[in-house]
């Protein structure tokens, strides 16, 4: 058997070589296991595993943005002339001319501008003001004083459902404002019924329905072209029956004639005020971008229904913030709310001091 030993050795070596080669081959193919991972490139450096810090998102964190930051175009609408006024050594006729032009350009209106500057001249004489910087400070103080005063709160009275009527011409933002107010008031804990009283505009009720859903409010709507008074009456009844304390009533901004519209608004107000309802706010919604024209129309609403306040919308899109001054002096009604965009957070309380500072801000 001795001559068999070398043969066996050779066989063993061949088998060992074959097994080793196969293992190497299998290893190269990923050990026979299907994998989608590409093989690591020999030249690519191995990236260290970096633990990314978690991104903290606070979805509903209230963003406290000042009125000044949000005024958009209206901001600094009076500041343009500040540089030239300030650059003058003395207060002369050119100073007054520049101030007048700036106020009129900012939509303050001719009558209101004259009234403002007449009083400022009195202050200059009485206080012996000679420096431009002091003059501008006096102007700012006077404008702030003009806007101050008046009750800017939204009234809630105990008893039956409070009714807040929203009036104004078409397209000024009545329906949107009701939606925003509804959501804000609901967040404050009030139980809301919305009344789709703008039966003249087909889309208004659908628009209001979407807002009502967001606010968790009830919606009362009627047939297109129906009687707004009966819708608002039904809304008050429903509010009383369900223990809701606030009815937000939309109204039409257009009818076949203005006389009809004003008559209808008077009727709506009377009906809404019937027991158990009580009208505690009649808010005129005004579009800041329509400037002095809007103001003329507003006067007609003021004459027809007793207004308690103004909502000035679309101030984000107007470069003429001076309209607020014109409203106050022409209508003598406090601006209660300001619209600065289309979302619910874009309706803010009107702060006269912040507003005037923003109009004069240098940026
Ligand atoms: P209504 O006819 O008076 O009810 O007016 P709407 O509520 O239908 O509003 C007319 C348009 O103005 C809509 O496109 C609103 O989204 C828009 N709008 C309302 N308020 C504001 C605001 O404060 N700023 C801006 N930029 N748009 C607004």
């Amino acid at each position: 058997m001795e001559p068999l030993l070398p043969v066996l050795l050779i066989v063993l070596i061949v088998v060992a070589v074959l097994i080793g080669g196969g293992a190497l081959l299998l290893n190269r193919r990923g050990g026979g296991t299907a994998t989608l991972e590409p093989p690591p490139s020999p030249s690519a450096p191995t990236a260290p595993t970096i633990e990314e810090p978690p991104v903290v998102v606070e979805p509903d964190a209230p963003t406290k943005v000042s009125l000044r930051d949000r005024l958009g175009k209206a901001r600094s609408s009076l500041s343009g002339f500040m540089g030239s006024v300030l650059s003058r050594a003395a207060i002369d006729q050119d100073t007054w001319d520049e101030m007048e032009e700036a106020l009129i350009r900012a939509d303050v209106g001719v009558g209101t501008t004259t009234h403002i500057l007449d009083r400022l001249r009195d202050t200059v004489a009485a206080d012996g003001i000679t420096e431009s910087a002091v003059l501008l400070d006096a102007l700012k103080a006077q404008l702030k004083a003009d806007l101050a005063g008046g009750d800017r709160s939204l009234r809630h009275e105990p008893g039956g459902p409070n009714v807040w009527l929203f009036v104004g011409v078409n397209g000024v933002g009545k329906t949107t404002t009701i939606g925003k107010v509804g959501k804000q008031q609901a967040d404050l804990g009030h139980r809301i019924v919305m009344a789709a009283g703008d039966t003249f505009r087909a889309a208004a009720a659908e628009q209001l329905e979407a807002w009502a859903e967001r606010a968790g409010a009830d919606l009362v709507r009627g047939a297109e072209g129906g009687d707004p008074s009966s819708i608002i009456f039904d809304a008050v009844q429903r509010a009383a029956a369900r223990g809701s304390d606030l009815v937000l009533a939309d109204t039409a901004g257009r009818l076949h004639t203005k006389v009809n519209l004003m008559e209808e608004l008077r009727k709506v107000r009377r009906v809404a005020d019937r027991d158990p309802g009580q009208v505690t706010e009649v808010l005129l919604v005004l579009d800041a971008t329509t400037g002095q024209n809007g103001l003329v129309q507003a006067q007609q609403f003021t004459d027809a229904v007793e207004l308690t306040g103004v909502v000035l919308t679309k101030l984000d899109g107007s470069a003429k913030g001076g309209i607020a001054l014109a409203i106050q002096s022409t209508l003598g009604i406090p601006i209660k709310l300001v619209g600065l965009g289309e979302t619910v957070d874009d309706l803010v309380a009107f702060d006269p001091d912040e507003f005037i500072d923003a109009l004069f801000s240098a940026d």
Side-chain angles (χ1 to χ4, degrees):
M1 296 298 280
E2 271 201 11
L4 276 177
L5 255 170
V7 177
L8 263 174
L9 260 173
I10 288 165
V11 169
L12 274 173
I13 288 165
V14 169
V15 168
V17 166
L18 279 177
I19 289 172
L24 204 70
L25 210 68
L26 277 175
N27 219 7
R28 279 212 183 131
R29 286 182 186 157
T33 319
T35 170
L36 291 172
E37 296 232 342
S41 150
S43 57
T46 322
T49 324
I50 299 169
E51 287 271 313
E52 291 270 342
V55 181
V56 182
V57 181
E58 289 174 27
D60 293 317
T63 41
K64 178 75 186 116
V65 188
S66 71
L67 181 62
R68 180 185 169 285
D69 288 334
R70 303 191 56 190
L71 269 173
K73 292 186 202 162
R75 193 176 66 210
S76 42
S77 63
L78 284 177
S79 69
F81 74 102
M82 252 190 17
S84 50
V85 168
L86 284 172
S87 68
R88 291 180 198 286
I91 300 168
D92 53 22
Q93 188 52 44
D94 286 346
T95 309
W96 292 105
D97 289 348
E98 274 174 16
M99 278 185 162
E100 182 177 43
E101 192 186 330
L103 289 167
I104 292 171
R105 274 178 190 271
D107 232 353
V108 174
V110 177
T112 308
T113 297
T114 306
H115 187 52
I116 288 170
L117 293 183
D118 283 351
R119 284 179 299 140
L120 191 60
R121 277 195 187 88
D122 292 345
T123 309
V124 166
D127 297 355
I129 295 173
T130 53
E131 285 172 44
S132 305
V134 183
L135 174 68
L136 282 181
D137 283 344
L139 173 61
K140 273 169 80 170
Q142 185 184 306
L143 298 181
K144 285 180 183 178
D146 285 351
L147 285 175
D151 182 5
R152 285 176 208 285
S153 64
L154 296 166
R155 274 184 295 159
H156 288 278
E157 299 291 343
N162 285 230
V163 183
W164 295 356
L165 292 176
F166 292 78
V167 303
V169 299
N170 234 22
V172 290
K174 283 185 303 297
T175 311
T176 310
T177 301
I178 291 176
K180 294 172 182 174
V181 169
K183 178 76 172 76
Q184 292 180 356
Q185 292 294 317
D187 289 347
L188 289 172
H190 295 285
R191 298 190 57 176
I192 320 281
V193 175
M194 292 184 185
D198 184 359
T199 56
F200 198 82
R201 191 165 68 88
E206 273 91 65
Q207 217 174 309
L208 207 55
E209 190 161 29
W211 279 107
E213 265 169 38
R214 254 172 268 171
D218 267 344
L219 177 78
V220 175
R221 56 188 290 184
E224 200 182 321
D227 178 14
S229 300
S230 72
I231 292 169
I232 289 160
F233 179 83
D234 287 351
V236 172
Q237 297 301 315
R238 187 181 299 186
R242 298 193 177 180
S244 299
D245 60 328
L246 185 58
V247 175
L248 301 176
D250 203 0
T251 61
R254 182 161 57 101
L255 272 190
H256 301 291
T257 71
K258 256 187 210 111
V259 178
N260 278 354
L261 176 60
M262 297 307 161
E263 269 313 312
E264 181 184 281
L265 286 178
R266 284 193 199 99
K267 186 175 162 198
V268 161
R269 197 187 201 293
R270 273 197 312 273
V271 169
D273 224 6
R274 252 183 233 157
D275 199 46
Q278 47 176 338
V279 176
T280 49
E281 290 288 350
V282 183
L283 297 166
L284 174 70
V285 184
L286 264 185
D287 177 344
T289 63
T290 58
Q292 299 293 312
N293 283 344
L295 212 55
V296 174
Q297 290 164 333
Q299 189 66 56
Q300 293 169 327
F301 284 92
T302 317
D303 296 343
V305 277
E306 205 183 311
L307 298 169
T308 58
V310 171
V311 182
L312 189 58
T313 59
K314 309 190 196 182
L315 210 50
D316 52 314
S318 167
K320 300 181 165 192
I323 189 69
L325 294 156
I327 290 167
Q328 185 85 29
S329 80
T330 312
L331 305 176
I333 312 159
I335 299 171
K336 295 197 168 180
L337 300 166
V338 172
L340 298 165
E342 300 185 57
T343 74
V344 67
D345 297 325
D346 296 328
L347 187 75
V348 298
F350 181 65
D351 180 329
D353 287 0
E354 214 186 333
F355 182 75
I356 294 298
D357 285 339
L359 293 194
F360 280 88
S361 71
D363 53 298

